[in-house]
Amino acid sequence: MAILIEKEEIPMFRIVPAFVDKSDYWEKELHYATRLGNEFKGKTSITFETTQGPRSVSTTVWSVTHDYLQLKGGMNIPLNSVIDVRF
């Protein structure tokens, strides 16, 4: 089970790749998270892998690039470290 942290704490952790299936469904989920953040200012719960185990953050997703989730406040999470996305 992931430990919930504040988005400002993300830089305190060494983020590592997670071995999760990245299917077409996954891409749709990430784009929905972006739409939720930009159009409705809604938050998404993102679980990602670190060297200290899974961490989760509830925040607004501003955009999805080829390699990163860009969050409100200028934080980035590498896509290859994302374990789960929930709305």
Side-chain angles (χ1 to χ4, degrees):
M1 182 151 157
I3 297 172
L4 184 63
I5 63 170
E6 297 294 323
K7 74 175 179 297
E8 293 80 14
E9 295 178 75
I10 293 172
M12 296 176 181
F13 295 92
R14 183 167 176 254
I15 300 174
V16 296
F19 300 101
V20 177
D21 177 29
K22 304 289 200 252
S23 63
D24 291 336
Y25 171 78
W26 187 256
E27 186 175 329
K28 289 177 185 176
E29 290 290 297
L30 296 176
H31 288 289
Y32 180 79
T34 304
R35 183 173 179 214
L36 180 65
N38 286 303
E39 292 182 28
F40 304 103
K41 307 302 182 228
K43 291 188 176 187
T44 300
S45 177
I46 302 159
T47 303
F48 57 97
E49 190 64 66
T50 74
T51 56
Q52 297 171 339
R55 297 295 186 259
S56 184
V57 64
S58 181
T59 189
T60 305
V61 176
W62 286 130
S63 68
V64 178
T65 69
H66 183 68
D67 296 318
Y68 293 94
L69 278 178
Q70 296 178 328
L71 311 176
K72 181 178 181 180
M75 300 292 165
N76 293 311
I77 298 176
L79 287 179
N80 67 355
S81 70
V82 176
I83 297 169
D84 193 27
V85 177
R86 295 189 186 259
F87 311 102

